[in-house]
Structures are given as structure tokens and as C-alpha cells.
């Protein structure tokens, strides 16, 4: 890994620790880390339903709902992937030990 990229990664994790990244994950964070796609799809569909469901909805509203839901879902998916990486780092450093899935 090039020195610049390694320095950026170290800086990112230092910022993460500074804003509370060393605390154990909550129940929802553990779920999102294990299943990143499920909450992302649910949030995207919820957004689509909120935009496209009201009476008098036009085609443009549905298109905006689809695009907005996709962007919101993608954003949440990337956040969940970050959470998965954070949990792996906590395990690797010995800060947190996950309970076996039940």
C-alpha cells in the first residue's frame, strides 16, 4: 500500500476514534454490520413509499422517489459497510468481542 494511502487510512481511523469509534457497537449497529443490504433496501423503499404514495402523485414524483430512494439506500449501504469495517477493527484490536449469533 502506498505511503499516502496508508497515511489517509491511519488518519481516517484516528478521526473515527476521536468521535467515539472505540465504543462497542449497539444492537442495531451489529445488525447493520452483519446485514448491510437489508436496512439499505428498507430505507430506500420507505423513502419511495413516502414520496410516491400520497394522492395526486404524478410520474415525476415516482421518478424522484425511485432516484432518491436509490441514493438514500446506497448511502446507508456504504455506512453499513463502514460499520462492518469498524467492528472488524475493534475485534482485531481486542476492544470488543462479539457474542456468537443466536
Amino acid at each position: 500500500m502506498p505511503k499516502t494511502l496508508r497515511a489517509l487510512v491511519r488518519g481516517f481511523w484516528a478521526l473515527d476514534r476521536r468521535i467515539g469509534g472505540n465504543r462497542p457497537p449497539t444492537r442495531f449497529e451489529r445488525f447493520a454490520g452483519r446485514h448491510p443490504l437489508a436496512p439499505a433496501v428498507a430505507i430506500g423503499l420507505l423513502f419511495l413509499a413516502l414520496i410516491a404514495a400520497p394522492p395526486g402523485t404524478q410520474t415525476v414524483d415516482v421518478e424522484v422517489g425511485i432516484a432518491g430512494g436509490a441514493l438514500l439506500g446506497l448511502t446507508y449501504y456504504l455506512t453499513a459497510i463502514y460499520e462492518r469495517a469498524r467492528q472488524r477493527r475493534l475485534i482485531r484490536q481486542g476492544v470488543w468481542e462479539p457474542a456468537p449469533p443466536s
Side-chain angles (χ1 to χ4, degrees):
M1 185 182 309
K3 286 183 179 182
T4 306
L5 183 60
R6 190 172 297 149
L8 285 173
V9 169
R10 277 196 314 267
F12 174 78
W13 288 121
L15 176 65
D16 180 64
R17 282 189 302 275
R18 183 149 174 93
I19 60 174
N22 272 351
R23 62 175 173 64
T26 63
R27 185 176 179 185
F28 183 74
E29 289 171 341
R30 287 191 311 263
F31 176 79
R34 287 185 188 133
H35 312 286
L37 194 57
V41 169
I43 299 249
L45 288 177
L46 179 64
F47 182 81
L48 172 62
L50 289 174
I51 297 296
T57 302
Q58 298 178 355
T59 307
V60 173
D61 297 332
V62 174
E63 292 169 354
V64 167
I66 291 171
L71 288 174
L72 193 59
L74 177 65
T75 301
Y76 198 85
Y77 179 75
L78 293 174
T79 303
I81 293 296
Y82 151 74
E83 179 59 32
R84 180 184 283 185
R86 185 181 80 89
Q87 290 176 18
R88 286 182 184 159
R89 183 181 57 84
L90 291 176
I91 292 168
R92 194 172 49 246
Q93 292 178 341
V95 174
W96 171 67
E97 185 63 37
S102 54

